Amino acid sequence: MSLGWLALARGTLDRVAERRRDEDWVTAAWAGCRVLVVDERGRVPFRLDDRPRLAFVPARGAPIGERVLLGVDEDKNAYFAVVATLPEQEGVEVADLRRIGALLDDVESGMMTHAVAMALWHATHRHCPRCGARTKVIAAGHVRVCPEDGMEQYPRLDPAVIMLVTDDDDRVLLARGSAWPEGRASVLAGFLEPGESLEQGVAREVYEEVGLRVEDVRYLGSQPWPLPQSLMLGFVCHAPGEQRLRLEESEIAEARWYTRQDLLTATLAGDLVLPGKVSIARQLLEHWYGGELPGSWGLGL
Ligand SMILES: [Zn+2]
């Protein structure tokens, strides 16, 4: 069984990737498009009605900045992102993905996730990694090319594994990162290393962080996490037998096993704060738990 709803993996826009290098098509699409301005910190403007809605501007009102074709909706409206300082607009607020990613509808959640990922990539890849020259944007914002040596750069993605570990009693292991406040806890996660399979990465990270040997590593689903450029790959795995926890002190402040009842009781009492609905960590936990758990949807609610 795989994960169901994932906050940042709900996009429905047609990305029209085959049109990105067709300059006539892109120019015509830009003229009539809706623009989502996104800043170099990954924040976008939105209006709060009964739920957050992205605040678009028309192309002629868009600020100067890198333009990224996001795609076309089912009514053939084109959407672009522009990477720039956010304009002041009446009745408009500003937020990042953590605050509104889970609250937007499917199409806007996908659009924002894509726009933020591209903005953070453009903001940190404006020079050629080979010769250092300033690069130019091509392919409707999806490629940067070096004018000196022609080297093309594509948006970067860092694969990260995130895994829910169970024991022989079907308890779940939750850990608190050393930089996190008291009471907050989540499942384990880490970046994949070069030359490693996903399953090897899961086993290595669990052993490094808490000293457990795991088996039966199973993939459940993925979602982008462009903060700044991760792709989160979600797994469950099993730590058999009576194994002692041995924490990597620089990263993990504490870790312990929870039964389903422990988890619910601690969460309802406010002793335990689980990851928000926007995260794949939350969906892994609810998948194991077998239903919804108390927690935040975002916006500080
Ligand atoms: Zn170059």
Side-chain angles (χ1 to χ4, degrees), residues 128 130-133 146 148-149 151:
C128 174
R130 187 182 285 153
C131 74
C146 176
E148 303 298 325
D149 55 32
M151 182 178 178

Side-chain angles (χ1 to χ4, degrees), residues 125-138 143-153:
H125 291 77
R126 293 198 169 114
H127 294 86
C128 174
R130 187 182 285 153
C131 74
R134 177 90 181 181
T135 49
K136 278 195 331 194
V137 177
I138 59 167
V143 180
R144 299 191 72 103
V145 63
C146 176
E148 303 298 325
D149 55 32
M151 182 178 178
E152 291 192 348
Q153 290 190 79

Side-chain angles (χ1 to χ4, degrees), residues 4-5 43 59 62 130 179 192 237 300-301:
W5 187 92
R43 300 179 309 168
R130 187 182 285 153
L192 211 63
C237 58
L301 300 173

Side-chain angles (χ1 to χ4, degrees), residues 161 163 165 173 175 188-194 196 200-214 243-253 255:
V161 289
M163 46 277 174
V165 185
L173 185 76
L188 302 174
F191 287 106
L192 211 63
E193 292 188 349
E196 193 172 54
Q200 288 168 335
V202 168
R204 175 186 51 76
E205 281 287 343
V206 175
Y207 187 70
E208 268 179 28
E209 293 190 346
V210 295
L212 300 177
R213 297 291 186 191
V214 294
Q243 301 188 50
R244 269 175 65 92
L245 292 169
R246 177 189 44 73
L247 307 188
E248 184 181 35
E249 286 175 9
S250 61
E251 280 194 44
I252 306 290

